[in-house]
Amino acid sequence: MKKALIICLCIGGCAYLYLNFSKEPEKAQITQNEYIHEKIDEVQYLKTEIEDDDDWQLRLINAKNPVPQEYTLEVAILKNGNKVDERIYPFLKEMFDDARAAGMYPVVTSGYRTNAEQKKLYDDKIEEYLLEGYSEIEAIKLTEKFLANPGTSEHEMAIAVDIVGDWMKSSSAEVYDWLKSHAHEYGFILRYPENKNHITGINYEPWHYRFVGVDAAKEIYEQNITLEEFCQLKGEKY
């Protein structure tokens, strides 16, 4: 009986985690306006709307460049319920298809997040550190090493994904290695690489990939630089 229960749990867990790109995803429209107003006093939001242009994928989002206050985006809803900007979906699908052909089985564990969802993650992590005995200032500093302050996360613009391995078929370490070598071919960059936290403000996250377009991703990969450094080279303010 126990053995059967364990098998059922394993099958159920695998089915939940497995990201199947074989079917076209559903689409939905989200207006970010609905989620962010409660944070305006705490985060210095930009007061402009995102304009439709060819450089949308290079918009820099970090502590100095928060998410715009108002914008509307079209998202593709993946089979496991995660959402991504529909413009990056074809590139993500191709990357996952090729990874699987190479024996890797990546899974998206987080895509688009509302400001409220980002705030909950952020607040919950601070609370964890507080319960461990850290002061409030220490808890905030520790949290911000891995979690962007609400209003400054790329997840809120649906252009970043957290990717791990399907634990039944390949390890996360194997997936990370493959992505590190190939993600740029599909327009994605390792957003928070090792030894760059003094530039990005975030510690190394081998699971966090950001879409910037194939040309920019290739240049960032070949020069081993961050998006901040790339923008600086191109003369963009950040």
Side-chain angles (χ1 to χ4, degrees), residues 96-143:
F96 273 45
D97 286 344
D98 289 350
R100 290 184 181 123
M104 302 296 134
Y105 292 85
V107 175
V108 171
T109 60
S110 184
Y112 171 71
R113 296 176 194 154
T114 67
N115 180 264
E117 289 169 337
Q118 184 69 21
K119 182 179 185 300
K120 186 177 187 309
L121 287 173
Y122 182 85
D123 291 344
D124 287 350
K125 196 62 180 177
I126 290 176
E127 184 62 25
E128 285 182 26
Y129 285 123
L130 290 174
L131 291 174
E132 291 176 16
Y134 291 97
S135 69
E136 185 173 358
I137 292 177
E138 291 171 332
I140 291 172
K141 287 182 178 180
L142 288 169
T143 295

Side-chain angles (χ1 to χ4, degrees), residues 29-40 45 48-50 66-75 112-119 150-158:
Q29 187 179 77
I30 295 173
T31 302
Q32 184 68 1
N33 239 11
E34 299 170 6
Y35 307 110
I36 66 174
H37 286 303
E38 77 262 25
K39 290 294 294 180
I40 290 177
Y45 280 98
T48 58
E49 294 186 5
I50 292 178
V67 176
Q69 181 180 344
E70 297 180 359
Y71 65 92
T72 298
L73 59 92
E74 299 285 333
V75 296
Y112 171 71
R113 296 176 194 154
T114 67
N115 180 264
E117 289 169 337
Q118 184 69 21
K119 182 179 185 300
T152 66
S153 171
E154 294 175 333
H155 284 284
E156 294 177 57
M157 291 193 67

Side-chain angles (χ1 to χ4, degrees), residues 27-214:
K27 296 180 181 180
Q29 187 179 77
I30 295 173
T31 302
Q32 184 68 1
N33 239 11
E34 299 170 6
Y35 307 110
I36 66 174
H37 286 303
E38 77 262 25
K39 290 294 294 180
I40 290 177
D41 293 335
E42 299 175 50
V43 178
Q44 293 299 310
Y45 280 98
L46 301 177
K47 302 300 183 182
T48 58
E49 294 186 5
I50 292 178
E51 297 179 358
D52 292 329
D53 57 54
D54 294 334
D55 294 328
W56 61 269
Q57 68 267 37
L58 290 176
R59 179 175 288 273
L60 185 60
I61 300 296
N62 58 22
K64 296 180 180 178
N65 296 272
V67 176
Q69 181 180 344
E70 297 180 359
Y71 65 92
T72 298
L73 59 92
E74 299 285 333
V75 296
I77 305 174
L78 308 181
K79 187 175 180 180
N80 65 358
N82 283 298
K83 305 177 183 71
V84 297
D85 188 307
E86 66 172 1
R87 292 170 292 188
I88 80 172
Y89 173 78
F91 300 91
L92 186 65
K93 179 184 185 301
E94 183 181 6
M95 182 168 72
F96 273 45
D97 286 344
D98 289 350
R100 290 184 181 123
M104 302 296 134
Y105 292 85
V107 175
V108 171
T109 60
S110 184
Y112 171 71
R113 296 176 194 154
T114 67
N115 180 264
E117 289 169 337
Q118 184 69 21
K119 182 179 185 300
K120 186 177 187 309
L121 287 173
Y122 182 85
D123 291 344
D124 287 350
K125 196 62 180 177
I126 290 176
E127 184 62 25
E128 285 182 26
Y129 285 123
L130 290 174
L131 291 174
E132 291 176 16
Y134 291 97
S135 69
E136 185 173 358
I137 292 177
E138 291 171 332
I140 291 172
K141 287 182 178 180
L142 288 169
T143 295
E144 291 183 350
K145 286 183 178 181
F146 288 103
L147 273 174
N149 197 303
T152 66
S153 171
E154 294 175 333
H155 284 284
E156 294 177 57
M157 291 193 67
I159 53 177
V161 286
D162 289 345
I163 304 172
V164 300
D166 180 339
W167 61 277
M168 293 290 287
K169 297 181 179 180
S170 58
S171 69
S172 290
E174 291 172 325
V175 169
Y176 297 157
D177 285 343
W178 189 90
L179 289 172
K180 191 172 183 179
S181 298
H182 297 284
H184 66 282
E185 299 167 9
Y186 309 89
F188 291 87
I189 61 169
L190 176 61
R191 183 64 178 90
Y192 305 118
E194 291 182 276
N195 304 316
K196 293 284 190 174
N197 59 316
H198 61 290
I199 297 173
T200 64
I202 301 290
N203 280 9
Y204 175 47
E205 291 190 353
W207 54 83
H208 185 108
Y209 277 82
R210 153 75 191 264
F211 185 79
V212 295
V214 175

